[in-house]
Amino acid sequence: MTTIERDLLHTVEADSISAGRHFWGRAALWLSTLWLAASFVLQAAYVSGWITFGFENWRPVLYAYVLWAIVLCVTRVVLYGEAGKKALFVLPAALFVVAMVVFPLLFALWVGFSDWNLASLTGRKFNGLDNLRRMLSDPFYANALVNMVLYSLAIAVEYAIAFGLALLLSQDIAARKFWRVTFLVPLMLSPVAVSWMVGKSMLETRFGPIARLARWLGWENPSFFGDPLTARLSIMIMDAWTFIPFMMIMLLAGLQALNREVLEAAEVDGATKWQRFWQVIFPLMLPVSVTAVMIRVIFKLKLADIIITVTAGGPGGATDSVTSFIYREYRDRSNVGYGTLLAIIYLIIIVIGMTMLLKVSDRIVRRMTGRL
């Protein structure tokens, strides 16, 4: 390669970087890092009341972080040449994730271990592990966790219904396109709209059509949200009606992608419909099924809008999910410190639970698909 071609490619190897360029690159990086660290420590000490001088808000720390990020990206190229340019494909995204995820989590930890009620005139006060002790003795939070387990177990029934609908709609039935669109209608509606349309209107105790039908069938005083068990079931049904079409469409797509030759071979071998389903279709559909169930679990763990709109957690907190309970802790009681700690603990539970669930599902998929 000629000198002109090398100049046109702007190729700078690490070996060709001068000592002066190396020195100034490291100096710029260290100065920006020290400025960021000093800004953060100064503001944290000022907010904590350890010193009497500091910034009015955290905005200067944000500016210091942006400056540090720019210097970090530039110095990758200055110090490492062509290899530094390759790092620029990933580094800005990583810095953005740090700014949008890591920093808010650190701030949440700082808030979670403090007594901070927006209705109080004293402001935020560090209270150590008091919020954690309060959480361990809070029966309403424990009830919300139990409810989340029950709501999540209902996904098994939702999956069975969704799989049955997907099998039905994959067959050559009359008006198949019409039924596919019809079953997708609940997914197109907002959960809040479903809450008002079904929970507040159709299930209304006095004039709701479903309540009238229940009275006609012999239920003297139908109350779908007055009894804890009935209220939980009503919430599960409304949530399932909204999201079963989501799993159905994913499973339907998986069924249509199956290798028809395998199904025809099983039929030629004399397998019954049940044997074809249990020994061929179901194992082949496991990867799609696991994906659909996992995504559904994520949506279920965020369940709040239907509960907040219809029951507000009642009766007596019987229908509360963890998300709705934390929301009411913020909105009704203005308890930012305690609510933030509950959210952090819930996040830890979700991460651990989803990790274990993924490992178990991966083993099941390997075991079932290994039999084929």
Side-chain angles (χ1 to χ4, degrees):
M1 183 180 291
T2 65
T3 306
I4 297 177
E5 290 174 335
R6 192 172 298 165
D7 291 340
L8 291 174
L9 290 173
H10 300 286
T11 303
V12 180
E13 301 295 339
D15 297 337
S16 62
I17 297 174
S18 64
R21 175 173 169 176
H22 203 273
F23 170 78
W24 288 111
R26 287 194 173 277
L29 181 60
W30 275 107
L31 286 174
S32 61
T33 303
L34 290 174
W35 175 251
L36 174 62
S39 302
F40 180 81
V41 172
L42 176 66
Q43 184 64 10
Y46 174 69
V47 172
S48 301
W50 298 340
I51 59 177
T52 57
F53 58 92
F55 303 119
E56 183 179 353
N57 50 48
W58 286 86
R59 192 172 298 171
V61 181
L62 173 62
Y63 295 153
Y65 176 77
V66 173
L67 175 63
W68 174 79
I70 294 173
V71 172
L72 179 62
C73 292
V74 172
T75 53
R76 291 299 91 186
V77 180
V78 172
L79 295 174
Y80 301 104
E82 201 65 25
K85 292 180 181 179
K86 297 177 182 178
L88 293 181
F89 285 98
V90 179
L91 193 56
L95 293 171
F96 181 79
V97 170
V98 170
M100 295 292 105
V101 178
V102 177
F103 283 168
L105 281 176
L106 293 176
F107 180 74
L109 282 172
W110 177 70
V111 173
F113 291 96
S114 62
D115 181 11
W116 190 3
N117 194 303
L118 298 180
S120 175
L121 299 177
T122 58
R124 191 196 71 86
K125 291 182 180 180
F126 178 76
N127 65 350
L129 300 178
D130 288 350
N131 287 337
L132 185 61
R133 297 189 189 97
R134 178 181 173 185
M135 181 202 71
L136 295 175
S137 60
D138 190 342
F140 294 101
Y141 186 65
N143 177 73
L145 287 172
V146 173
N147 284 343
M148 284 313 307
V149 174
L150 297 176
Y151 292 150
S152 299
L153 290 176
I155 295 177
V157 179
E158 297 177 19
Y159 169 74
I161 297 173
F163 209 135
L165 292 174
L167 287 171
L168 177 64
L169 295 178
S170 65
Q171 303 300 316
D172 189 14
I173 60 175
R176 183 172 61 177
K177 292 183 179 180
F178 169 78
W179 290 116
R180 287 181 178 180
V181 175
T182 301
F183 282 122
L184 282 176
V185 168
L187 185 61
M188 303 176 188
L189 298 175
S190 165
V192 177
V194 173
S195 303
W196 280 96
M197 181 177 65
V198 179
K200 291 288 190 178
S201 299
M202 298 182 68
L203 296 178
E204 204 275 330
T205 305
R206 295 171 298 172
F207 309 111
I210 298 180
R212 290 185 176 182
L213 176 62
R215 277 193 292 267
W216 182 75
L217 292 174
W219 190 359
E220 295 183 1
N221 296 311
S223 178
F224 297 98
F225 304 106
D227 176 70
L229 178 59
T230 308
R232 288 193 192 98
L233 290 175
S234 300
I235 294 294
M236 290 179 186
I237 292 172
M238 285 189 289
D239 185 52
W241 185 73
T242 306
F243 283 101
I244 282 177
F246 170 77
M247 287 197 291
M248 181 200 73
I249 198 67
M250 291 189 67
L251 294 170
L252 179 60
L255 287 172
Q256 292 180 333
L258 290 179
N259 190 343
R260 296 298 170 186
E261 295 180 357
V262 176
L263 301 178
E264 292 172 359
E267 187 176 359
V268 170
D269 289 341
T272 63
K273 290 184 178 180
W274 172 252
Q275 289 174 333
R276 290 202 301 270
F277 169 76
W278 186 246
Q279 298 179 12
V280 180
I281 295 177
F282 186 74
L284 290 175
M285 284 290 295
L286 270 179
V288 179
S289 298
V290 169
T291 303
V293 170
M294 289 299 173
I295 297 176
R296 180 67 185 106
V297 169
I298 293 172
F299 279 110
K300 181 71 78 171
L301 293 173
K302 300 188 296 182
L303 175 62
D305 33 22
I306 293 178
I307 297 172
I308 293 170
T309 305
V310 178
T311 65
T319 58
D320 250 333
S321 66
V322 176
T323 310
S324 66
F325 178 76
I326 294 173
Y327 170 80
R328 293 194 299 109
E329 195 68 33
Y330 277 108
R331 186 197 64 179
D332 298 343
R333 304 177 184 89
S334 301
N335 204 337
V336 178
Y338 182 55
T340 303
L341 181 72
L342 296 181
I344 293 172
I345 298 299
Y346 188 46
L347 175 63
I348 295 173
I349 293 173
I350 289 175
V351 171
I352 295 174
M354 290 299 294
T355 303
M356 294 175 61
L357 190 59
L358 284 171
K359 288 184 177 181
V360 171
S361 61
D362 184 56
R363 290 181 181 178
I364 294 174
V365 170
R366 289 182 181 181
R367 185 177 301 174
M368 293 290 290
T369 53
R371 296 176 181 176
L372 296 176

